[in-house]
Amino acid sequence: MKSARAKGTFRRLLAYLLPHKALSLSILGLIAAVNLSALAKPLFIKVLADEFIVPGAFINGQGRSVAVLAFAYIGVMLFGMGAFYLQTLLITKLGMRIACRLREEVFSVILHMPLSRLNHFSAGRLITRTTNDVEAVSELFTDILVSLIKDGILVVGVLLAMVRLSPSLTGWAFLVLPPMTALVLWIRKQIHANWVVLKQITGRLNGFIAENVSGMKIVQLFNGQQAKWREFTRLNDDFYQHALVQMRMHSLSGPSANLFESLATVLILGMGLGAMKAGTADIGGLIALTLYIRQFFVPVADLAESFTQIESALVSADRIFELLEEKSQGERLRQGIALPILRGEIEFRHVSFAYEGEEYVLKDVSFHIHPGETFALVGQTGSGKTTIISLLCGFYPVNEGEILLDGIPIEALSKRDLRRKISVVLQDVFLFSGTLRENITLGDDIPPKVLEKALADSQARGLMDRNPLGFEAEVLEAGVGYSMGERQILSFARALAHDPAIFVLDEATANIDTKTEALIQKALEEASAHRTTLIIAHRLSTIRRADHILVLEQGSVVEEGSHLELMAQGGRYEAMVSGAGAH
């Protein structure tokens, strides 16, 4: 089963060579040239021994000088060196092209993977696929695969040359092959099983480091260094133990091949001396056979030592192909009805939803938002507010009911157009490394006038003016150096710059000071003008001016109305406002 799977993986990898046929054929030609020069070496030695050394002459029976043989030998070796140099250059180029294509395919799958699937993968696993695993597969093409082809051709050439020199002595030499093959297959099995586990540990280790670097402030605030250190050392020790097994198997491969080479050489010399006495062999042929034995077992030893890299590459390829198979479940962003204009009418009709394998988080939720309205969602943590936003953006399909935008079922709409018409400001703002302009435009070609208006409406103009570089100011990874309030304002600017028909705030004022909140309240007034606005907030002061408020509890709608209407009812909303006090 494993063998069949390995063959399938190998065939899929070979398919990446098809777009590079000319380059691959050139490499094969150069490999053949290198091998021919290597196979010629023992023949030169045979001629030198039989025609010049044994007779003790500088000119052989055909009248050729030993100098001619020497120059011919040097010429063949220079030819082999040149071919090897070109082969190395082309192989490196081929490996880099394939690695580049694999990275692009892996990242493309990640970019288009639905959140319902993306949540099944840790960041560490995805990083490992895109970096370590791709690098291991690249090495398969640049080093291992070419070595296998080169060594395979060389082994066949050596066998033919040895049989031509002496079939009987060749047969004696290869009596060592059956036990050697059994040992090699056993080592391969051990290496493969260990590599599968080692790759899994590598993914967990990468994920652990990435997670803790991002959350180091929390770790230090709560004095969690010792606990995290213990967790890290457990993972690290686990990695060390499996890496040690890998090195033991790798270390066993080379010496084993050398042992069998020595045994084969002893058999050739022992039986060859008897053949020389019987007059059926000569000294030159015997020397050539011992050199060919060396040429035969060097690639065999290389193959044994390459098992670690081969198994690493195949396991990595399996993991990459496993991820690439997610492409079939990727989002079809252009599929569906185009939305050149969206008025901003939103309707949820008896919507129920549960995340995969979990209980329902929304239960028979219905509401209707008219174009240009400001609509608020309130409720305790876990009541389903953020889930409503995820469903509105088309990240998950509903289990029951339907969602309509301008009267059209959301699943019938093009997701690309849908998300272009909706801008979301989240509680936790993410800034990418780059410039302020890149963080606001996110690669879209937004006209300067639209950008300037977005800065003014979001109250971000002052932030830009304080930096002499303005739009081109550098942003470090995750927005390091910008306060929570500044990041939130930049998030407003990003949302408004894309000129959405529907503007969504998901707890956008939860973690900011009162001064920044006042700026954001002003920005909200500008943003909500002529737009449908959907607000989720714990600070009830943010939603008092909403046209309509929906109160959620455990995934169900329990109250709805305007602020004044809900206060007059004296229900849950009134209790929340009274409990909020100064808010």
Side-chain angles (χ1 to χ4, degrees):
M1 183 70 178
K2 287 182 179 177
S3 177
R5 185 176 179 183
K7 287 178 183 177
T9 301
F10 201 71
R11 281 195 293 269
R12 287 186 70 175
L13 286 173
L14 289 179
Y16 283 85
L17 292 174
L18 292 178
H20 312 288
K21 290 178 183 176
L23 187 58
S24 301
L25 290 173
S26 300
I27 292 169
L28 286 176
L30 291 167
I31 288 172
V34 171
N35 281 339
L36 284 174
S37 68
L39 289 169
K41 289 181 185 179
L43 295 178
F44 276 105
I45 301 301
K46 180 184 183 306
V47 172
L48 179 66
D50 290 341
E51 298 184 15
F52 296 98
I53 295 176
V54 172
F58 287 99
I59 298 176
N60 66 8
Q62 288 80 36
R64 287 195 292 269
S65 167
V66 70
V68 174
L69 184 68
F71 281 118
Y73 180 81
I74 292 170
V76 170
M77 294 308 104
L78 287 174
F79 171 75
M81 286 174 58
F84 182 77
Y85 172 74
L86 290 174
Q87 168 198 303
T88 304
L89 286 181
L90 295 183
I91 287 168
T92 304
K93 184 177 182 180
L94 178 63
M96 290 174 66
R97 283 183 179 179
I98 291 171
C100 183
R101 180 182 164 188
L102 273 174
R103 285 194 194 94
E104 287 174 351
E105 288 185 4
V106 169
F107 193 65
S108 175
V109 168
I110 295 170
L111 279 177
H112 297 92
M113 190 182 293
L115 287 183
S116 56
R117 292 295 305 155
L118 192 62
N119 292 337
H120 288 77
F121 293 88
S122 68
R125 285 175 67 192
L126 295 176
I127 291 168
T128 302
R129 299 291 192 283
T130 315
T131 54
N132 301 39
D133 288 337
V134 170
E135 186 60 32
V137 172
S138 174
E139 287 177 5
L140 177 67
F141 285 100
T142 55
D143 296 326
I144 305 165
L145 185 59
V146 173
S147 294
L148 286 174
I149 296 170
K150 177 177 72 69
D151 293 344
I153 294 172
L154 183 60
V155 164
V156 172
V158 166
L159 279 172
L160 292 174
M162 289 180 71
V163 169
R164 186 172 178 275
L165 285 171
S166 176
S168 60
L169 290 179
T170 301
W172 280 106
F174 290 122
L175 286 175
V176 302
L177 283 183
M180 184 188 74
T181 303
L183 179 62
V184 165
L185 290 176
W186 179 80
I187 291 173
R188 181 184 182 277
K189 183 179 179 182
Q190 302 304 311
I191 287 175
H192 178 83
N194 194 62
W195 257 122
V196 172
V197 179
L198 195 59
K199 290 287 184 179
Q200 292 171 349
I201 296 170
T202 301
R204 292 204 303 270
L205 195 58
N206 285 345
F208 181 86
I209 292 170
E211 180 181 60
N212 281 275
V213 168
S214 299
M216 190 53 66
K217 185 175 181 180
I218 300 299
V219 173
Q220 294 181 357
L221 279 171
F222 289 88
N223 294 314
Q225 291 95 328
Q226 287 187 349
K228 290 298 181 183
W229 175 254
R230 286 193 298 270
E231 212 174 327
F232 173 77
T233 52
R234 279 197 299 271
L235 272 175
N236 202 34
D237 287 345
D238 201 12
F239 180 89
Y240 168 77
Q241 293 300 329
H242 283 84
L244 199 59
V245 171
Q246 212 66 16
M247 291 308 300
R248 285 172 184 159
M249 292 295 105
H250 180 76
S251 301
L252 182 61
S253 302
S256 300
N258 292 335
L259 172 64
F260 288 112
E261 178 197 334
S262 301
L263 290 173
T265 303
V266 167
L267 285 170
I268 278 188
L269 291 174
M271 302 308 295
L273 288 173
M276 284 180 65
K277 286 181 181 180
T280 57
D282 53 42
I283 185 67
L286 194 58
I287 293 171
L289 281 171
T290 57
L291 292 175
Y292 276 131
I293 279 291
R294 174 66 180 164
Q295 285 191 342
F296 179 86
F297 278 94
V298 165
V300 170
D302 289 344
L303 177 62
E305 291 183 0
S306 295
F307 274 147
T308 300
Q309 290 174 291
I310 293 170
E311 293 302 333
S312 170
L314 290 177
V315 171
S316 290
D318 277 337
R319 287 151 58 90
I320 290 170
F321 292 144
E322 178 192 6
L323 182 61
L324 292 182
E325 285 167 6
E326 296 287 334
K327 185 176 182 179
S328 62
Q329 300 185 44
E331 292 188 316
R332 304 291 184 263
L333 296 178
R334 298 182 185 277
Q335 184 176 310
I337 301 170
L339 273 177
I341 298 174
L342 181 67
R343 294 183 298 113
E345 182 183 9
I346 304 169
E347 186 176 1
F348 274 53
R349 290 181 181 173
H350 306 289
V351 170
S352 295
F353 174 76
Y355 294 101
E356 187 177 344
E358 298 180 17
E359 295 182 359
Y360 276 90
V361 290
L362 291 180
K363 304 163 191 173
D364 195 28
V365 172
S366 296
F367 59 83
H368 191 175
I369 307 174
H370 298 285
E373 269 192 336
T374 297
F375 193 91
L377 299 171
V378 299
Q380 299 299 320
T381 301
S383 59
K385 304 184 298 296
T386 298
T387 298
I388 287 175
I389 305 305
S390 296
L391 296 179
L392 179 62
C393 293
F395 290 131
Y396 301 91
V398 299
N399 297 95
E400 299 172 24
E402 62 178 345
I403 302 171
L404 298 96
L405 284 182
D406 285 1
I408 305 171
I410 198 170
E411 63 270 13
L413 299 173
S414 155
K415 284 188 171 63
R416 182 181 292 275
D417 284 351
L418 169 67
R419 291 172 191 166
R420 278 179 174 167
K421 304 300 182 184
I422 301 174
S423 285
V424 182
V425 179
L426 299 169
Q427 176 181 346
D428 298 317
V429 179
F430 193 90
L431 296 181
F432 297 90
S433 55
T435 64
L436 287 175
R437 181 189 299 277
E438 290 167 347
N439 268 280
I440 292 172
T441 63
L442 294 180
D444 283 349
D445 186 17
I446 298 176
K449 287 184 178 179
V450 176
L451 275 178
E452 287 297 331
K453 187 175 189 313
L455 289 179
D457 290 351
S458 64
Q459 310 301 307
R461 182 74 266 175
L463 179 60
M464 291 288 180
D465 292 341
R466 288 200 298 273
N467 194 310
L469 294 176
F471 270 124
E472 306 310 318
E474 183 183 12
V475 178
L476 300 178
E477 184 180 356
V480 173
Y482 288 88
S483 69
M484 182 68 74
E486 288 172 332
R487 277 182 272 175
Q488 200 62 265
I489 288 172
L490 288 172
S491 180
F492 260 84
R494 175 193 292 168
L496 295 178
H498 288 81
D499 194 22
I502 299 172
F503 189 68
V504 180
L505 278 82
D506 189 354
E507 304 285 11
T509 60
N511 298 322
I512 56 176
D513 57 73
T514 52
K515 181 180 178 182
T516 306
E517 184 184 8
L519 290 174
I520 287 179
Q521 286 286 3
K522 188 174 181 182
L524 180 57
E525 291 175 13
E526 298 287 346
S528 59
H530 313 299
R531 286 189 180 96
T532 301
T533 305
L534 190 55
I535 303 171
I536 297 174
H538 275 120
R539 292 187 178 182
L540 299 178
S541 56
T542 310
I543 60 174
R544 288 177 187 269
R545 297 188 184 90
D547 299 307
H548 201 82
I549 300 170
L550 199 73
V551 183
L552 291 166
E553 188 173 286
Q554 296 181 351
S556 298
V557 178
V558 291
E559 291 178 357
E560 60 179 307
S562 67
H563 172 72
L564 293 176
E565 290 169 346
L566 290 172
M567 290 297 291
Q569 288 179 20
R572 289 177 176 82
Y573 180 81
E574 191 274 337
M576 291 169 65
V577 173
S578 301
H583 293 295

